[in-house]
Amino acid sequence: MQFLPGASWIAIGGLIAAAGPVLIHLLNRRRFKVIHWAAMDFLLQAVQRNRKILEIRDLILLLLRTACVLLVGLALAGPYFSCSSNGANPNDPLHAILIVDNGLSMGYEKGGKTLLDEAKTRAKAFVDKLPSRSRIAVIPLCGSANDFDIEPQATKEDAKAALEKVELVDRSDTATKMRDLALQAMEKAPDLPAKRVVFFSDQQASKWPKGALAEEFKRIPDLQLVAIEPAAGDQLENTWIQDFRVADDFANPQSPATFVAHVRHQGPPRDHVEVTLTLSLPDGESVSQNQVVDLDENSEGKELRFTQAIPVLPKEDQPLYVAAKISLPEDHLDADNARYLSVPVLAKVPAVFVDQLGKDENVNRNRIGETEPMRRMLIKNARRGESQLFNVKHVKINEVNRDLLQGARVAVVAGVASPGDTVPDLIDYVRNGGQLLIAAGADFDPAAWDESAWKEGDGILPAYLLPAVGHTPEEAPNDVTPFFLDYDTLSKTFIENYDNSEEDLRQFYHDRYFFKAINSDVSEATMNKMVAAEKQRLLEQNHLDRETTGKALAAPTKTADDLSLKAEHSISELAERSRPRVLGSFTNKVPFLIERRLGKGRVLFMSTGMASNWNDLKNDDGKLMFVLILWPMLKETLPQRSFDTAGDIEFPISDAERTARFEVWRPGSKSGEPVGVEALNGNQSGLVIRGVTQRGIYRIASYRDQGAISAANDTGGRATSETPLAVNGPAEASELGAIKADTL
């Protein structure tokens, strides 16, 4: 048992005062003088019969009187039990570490006061009761847009000032992060051995690890958990946007886009809730539409679809980004009432298709190139009606060169016997960000591809190819044994964000028949050989860069944690990123799809054909699989414009833009802040936006000449270009409810 700082003397005083009833009892016993009187004998005989009962009554009365005085003293001293006791004198100064949960859920408001406000009030009261000369660290659990330090404050006034600066951020973090922060802070005041960690939080269930907590916190000797909750009896109520996306991942000005919003609700039913879609166009205009929905506490929530044309004119080969917002009316937690998108609008998608026939294809005479089903599916896309989105170039392998591939977002090579001398051009295309799909079928010869494109792991193939497995019906009409896709091995990339249910997709994949496929060596030894080849290439490139420019190959960086610290990756780790992955297999264990990342792009190998009788994919239903494979590849060619609040935003720029001036405009700000160009990864330059703690639309303004930025500030001039970036907080943080004490 421990007591509030400085209050242990009250408990000691109560213990001393508790001796009072005993002393009074003893003194009263000594006050009587015994006189023998014959007439009293009859009375003594009557009293003798009840003596034992009277003694027991007096003893109970004495104990009750003593306990009353003792308990009053203890109550005034404020006793409590901590997780453990370090045996320190309660009057000695403490190193107090106050970790305040400032995540999204702490913005829950009732009666004009948020849970974070209540946490600050409780924390200040705790600071006031600390012994003099204590040192207090104030740490926001979920980070801050401003710099904060885990170094302890020297005075109570400084600690309370630091508490005032803790702001609500659109993030969420776990008790494990609290433990890590506490352990870091405990090392900062070695001269104060008495440590106490106090965690002020709404104890949201999602923040706590599953399983036993003993191992998580055994290195923290003195830990207090302070639950910050709404008033007792209040029912939690919250409505939030769980998810927001555009159905096809991008929009096309020739046809309306479909926006999909997923709305969740917690608490009593809420009727006639207005959900609003708003598009902010580059010319400053906006368009919006509303839908009204009734909500109840359904774990699945409700899905709403908005069909909206986007009246913009992007360039032929470059996407134009439009800011989109889906929003709800105010409630007790306003921070999660909106989600944002930066929607890419594409006029045309340049794509190159290479097969055994090229322009010699004649569908009327049944001379069909291997890429024909995929081309037809994209030109007349079932997901987009009759929209002519793709600008297709259809050629033979001997027509492939750098000029043809330049600008193509995706390239497909299928049914080709050998890549010949096009391998260097294909490698260069992929390393510079291209998406390449190599498929078997038709005249595909695995031995010829190995000879030209394997190169001991330094070629364009993502794996060493082995002989084919199975036979087409034409090759062995009496020995046709079909095999199937193993749905459970498929990467989620080809399943997520598609409108069909998982049951429908499982059935769709299961119903496809395959007769022939090219096997691959995906053993660990072969994969290691490919990684070693990539590492050697990077080392040689690094050495060449030093000799020619005096500049070493920069290692890529990424956000390491919510403190926005960056960790450099070694060349070995860069090479490891190129390790191939099997994204799906057949039921006979032969790989169906193999992926390998090279530089900024990636190559996929599909071990079966598209138009040949290697399978039944050329049927109308089967062609949908080509879209499911190609769509994620196309999406990856689009620069990332949607981010979360967990870390910094990295915004790559071209070499031509390195001399430009840039500003970032944060949500709700009335002015931009300058942002400088930094090295990102490899030879890539870009901008890094730090302190991203609130959701909304962040805008990158570019000024191409030195005078433009001052002219814009002085005269209201416009930037040369402006790009909206969408930032959203964690959806799981919106589901309120504290972990139960027995579960904790």
Side-chain angles (χ1 to χ4, degrees):
M1 179 183 290
Q2 298 184 32
F3 303 100
L4 292 176
S8 56
W9 63 270
I10 301 178
I12 297 172
L15 181 63
I16 296 172
V22 179
L23 293 174
I24 293 172
H25 175 74
L26 294 176
L27 290 174
N28 283 338
R29 290 186 62 185
R30 297 177 59 87
R31 186 179 298 171
F32 301 105
K33 182 179 180 181
V34 179
I35 300 175
H36 296 283
W37 179 32
M40 289 295 295
D41 289 344
F42 299 104
L43 293 174
L44 289 174
Q45 291 176 7
V47 171
Q48 190 71 27
R49 289 192 292 269
N50 298 320
R51 178 180 295 276
K52 291 184 178 180
I53 296 175
L54 294 173
E55 286 178 349
I56 293 173
R57 185 197 67 182
D58 289 344
L59 180 60
I60 293 174
L61 185 61
L62 175 63
L63 291 174
L64 289 175
R65 288 170 174 168
T66 303
C68 283
V69 178
L70 177 62
L71 291 175
V72 167
L74 286 174
L76 292 175
Y80 66 91
F81 292 93
S82 67
C83 297
S84 63
S85 176
N86 53 27
N89 187 327
N91 293 315
D92 288 343
L94 275 176
H95 177 202
I97 300 162
L98 311 186
I99 301 180
V100 181
D101 185 353
N102 62 329
L104 180 141
S105 62
M106 292 292 285
Y108 189 85
E109 183 178 345
K110 208 69 179 287
K113 190 175 184 180
T114 66
L115 296 183
L116 181 60
D117 294 333
E118 175 65 18
K120 291 181 181 181
T121 301
R122 299 276 293 276
K124 290 175 184 176
F126 180 85
V127 168
D128 285 334
K129 294 177 181 178
L130 287 172
S132 59
R133 294 178 291 111
S134 291
R135 294 163 70 185
I136 309 110
V138 176
I139 304 174
L141 174 69
C142 300
S144 171
N146 306 307
D147 292 334
F148 73 90
D149 200 342
I150 61 175
E151 294 284 347
Q153 305 290 337
T155 67
K156 294 182 179 181
E157 289 71 23
D158 290 342
K160 287 191 280 188
L163 281 168
E164 278 299 322
K165 294 179 182 178
V166 175
E167 81 278 21
L168 193 72
V169 298
D170 196 355
R171 295 175 176 173
S172 183
D173 232 311
T174 64
T176 303
K177 175 68 174 298
M178 178 272 292
R179 175 206 62 189
D180 295 340
L181 289 171
L183 293 175
Q184 292 176 40
M186 287 169 62
E187 299 175 356
K188 295 299 180 179
D191 56 315
L192 290 179
K195 313 283 185 182
R196 181 172 301 161
V197 178
V198 189
F199 182 36
F200 299 86
S201 171
D202 60 356
Q203 309 295 0
Q204 194 176 21
S206 61
K207 297 173 184 174
W208 287 93
K210 294 181 179 179
L213 293 172
E215 289 299 315
E216 294 280 336
F217 299 107
K218 67 180 182 181
R219 287 194 289 162
I220 301 178
D222 200 346
L223 171 65
Q224 289 178 250
L225 306 178
V226 182
I228 309 296
E229 300 175 296
D234 283 355
Q235 184 175 4
L236 293 171
E237 301 177 40
N238 189 31
T239 307
W240 69 98
I241 305 293
Q242 178 78 13
D243 184 47
F244 180 40
R245 61 188 176 88
V246 62
D248 282 342
D249 302 319
F250 52 84
N252 176 247
Q254 300 177 28
S255 58
T258 300
F259 293 87
V260 183
H262 187 193
V263 183
R264 295 274 306 277
H265 177 70
Q266 178 180 357
R270 191 176 177 190
D271 297 332
H272 308 300
V273 178
E274 191 174 77
V275 184
T276 304
L277 169 70
T278 305
L279 302 182
S280 300
L281 304 178
D283 61 4
E285 298 295 322
S286 64
V287 293
S288 63
Q289 59 170 292
N290 302 323
Q291 289 189 33
V292 176
V293 62
D294 296 334
L295 299 170
D296 54 21
E297 196 162 11
N298 185 322
S299 60
E300 298 297 324
K302 289 195 176 181
E303 184 178 274
L304 302 178
R305 288 175 173 266
F306 297 80
T307 301
Q308 178 65 56
I310 305 180
V312 295
L313 294 174
K315 294 180 180 179
E316 181 73 14
D317 58 345
Q318 293 295 325
L320 180 65
Y321 287 86
V322 173
K325 172 184 177 182
I326 195 80
S327 58
L328 298 165
E330 293 182 354
D331 61 4
H332 294 293
L333 183 57
D334 286 338
D336 59 6
N337 288 352
R339 290 191 86 80
Y340 301 84
L341 280 179
S342 183
V343 183
V345 184
L346 290 170
K348 289 289 183 182
V349 177
V352 172
F353 288 82
V354 184
D355 58 31
Q356 79 279 23
L357 294 179
K359 292 183 177 63
D360 294 337
E361 180 179 72
N362 190 325
V363 177
N364 294 330
R365 295 187 178 184
N366 204 30
R367 284 177 54 81
I368 298 175
E370 194 66 20
T371 63
E372 191 274 341
M374 182 177 281
R375 283 183 281 115
R376 180 150 36 104
M377 195 72 181
L378 294 178
I379 293 173
K380 191 175 180 180
N381 189 348
R383 298 171 75 183
R384 292 180 173 271
E386 299 291 332
S387 173
Q388 297 288 328
L389 177 63
F390 285 81
N391 181 13
V392 172
K393 295 180 180 178
H394 180 208
V395 299
K396 292 182 180 180
I397 191 67
N398 57 6
E399 300 176 74
V400 174
N401 54 49
R402 276 184 168 83
D403 292 337
L404 178 74
L405 294 171
Q406 188 174 10
R409 293 197 171 274
V410 291
V412 178
V413 180
V416 173
S418 171
D421 57 3
T422 64
V423 172
D425 291 339
L426 293 174
I427 292 176
D428 185 65
Y429 168 72
V430 173
R431 289 195 184 281
N432 284 287
Q435 298 285 306
L436 174 64
L437 172 62
I438 301 172
D443 302 333
F444 192 90
D445 183 351
W449 272 84
D450 282 336
E451 183 179 353
S452 300
W454 170 240
K455 298 185 178 181
E456 296 301 315
D458 199 25
I460 193 63
L461 282 175
Y464 182 76
L465 303 182
L466 302 174
V469 174
H471 306 280
T472 67
E474 291 80 6
E475 292 171 340
N478 298 323
D479 186 24
V480 177
T481 305
F483 45 93
F484 305 90
L485 275 172
D486 185 348
Y487 178 84
D488 293 324
T489 66
L490 287 175
S491 167
K492 296 299 181 185
T493 305
F494 307 110
I495 299 171
E496 64 186 6
N497 293 335
Y498 197 70
D499 293 339
N500 296 55
S501 67
E502 182 173 350
E503 292 76 17
D504 291 341
L505 279 172
R506 181 180 289 272
Q507 189 64 44
F508 165 77
Y509 280 109
H510 183 269
D511 288 346
R512 309 278 73 80
Y513 288 85
F514 297 86
F515 307 109
K516 185 177 179 179
I518 302 298
N519 204 354
S520 303
D521 181 0
V522 290
S523 64
E524 189 71 17
T526 302
M527 299 297 103
N528 290 339
K529 183 183 292 186
M530 299 185 75
V531 173
E534 179 67 6
K535 180 179 179 180
Q536 182 61 33
R537 188 194 69 81
L538 289 171
L539 288 170
E540 292 173 358
Q541 178 185 338
N542 193 34
H543 180 70
L544 181 63
D545 287 345
R546 286 180 182 274
E547 286 189 341
T548 57
T549 66
K551 179 181 176 182
L553 174 68
T557 57
K558 67 176 184 179
T559 300
D561 52 29
D562 286 333
L563 303 181
S564 297
L565 300 176
K566 286 195 160 187
E568 290 192 354
H569 287 232
S570 67
I571 285 180
S572 297
E573 290 170 320
L574 276 172
E576 185 63 32
R577 182 177 179 269
S578 72
R579 180 179 293 273
R581 295 191 308 140
V582 176
L583 302 183
S585 299
F586 296 109
T587 51
N588 59 6
K589 308 302 181 183
V590 172
F592 166 59
L593 276 175
I594 306 174
E595 174 197 61
R596 190 185 188 196
R597 295 187 176 274
L598 292 174
K600 300 176 184 177
R602 66 171 175 170
V603 56
L604 278 178
F605 174 69
M606 188 171 78
S607 62
T608 189
M610 298 181 180
S612 306
N613 289 336
W614 291 37
N615 49 58
D616 69 345
L617 296 184
K618 62 183 179 181
N619 297 330
D620 286 342
D621 288 343
K623 292 173 190 171
L624 180 59
M625 186 179 295
F626 302 143
V627 176
L628 294 174
I629 293 172
L630 201 62
W631 221 257
M633 298 179 68
L634 176 59
K635 182 180 177 182
E636 191 157 319
T637 67
L638 300 173
Q640 184 181 1
R641 294 293 181 260
S642 294
F643 303 85
D644 58 44
T645 55
D648 300 340
I649 293 176
E650 291 188 352
F651 182 82
I653 61 172
S654 65
D655 290 340
E657 295 176 301
R658 294 181 65 174
T659 58
R661 298 282 301 276
F662 294 93
E663 285 184 335
V664 57
W665 292 68
R666 298 177 184 267
S669 66
K670 296 182 179 180
S671 61
E673 59 187 65
V675 56
V677 177
E678 302 182 27
L680 299 182
N681 48 0
N683 294 321
Q684 179 68 61
S685 298
L687 314 177
V688 180
I689 305 172
R690 298 179 172 86
V692 181
T693 60
Q694 305 299 330
R695 71 180 66 188
I697 296 294
Y698 292 66
R699 297 186 181 274
I700 302 292
S702 169
Y703 304 86
R704 290 299 178 89
D705 60 272
Q706 297 295 328
I709 190 165
S710 60
N713 290 338
D714 295 340
T715 65
R718 294 181 63 83
T720 308
S721 66
E722 193 172 273
T723 304
L725 309 180
V727 175
N728 292 291
E732 63 274 10
S734 297
E735 195 159 358
L736 307 178
I739 188 171
K740 295 181 179 179
D742 56 346
T743 305
L744 181 64

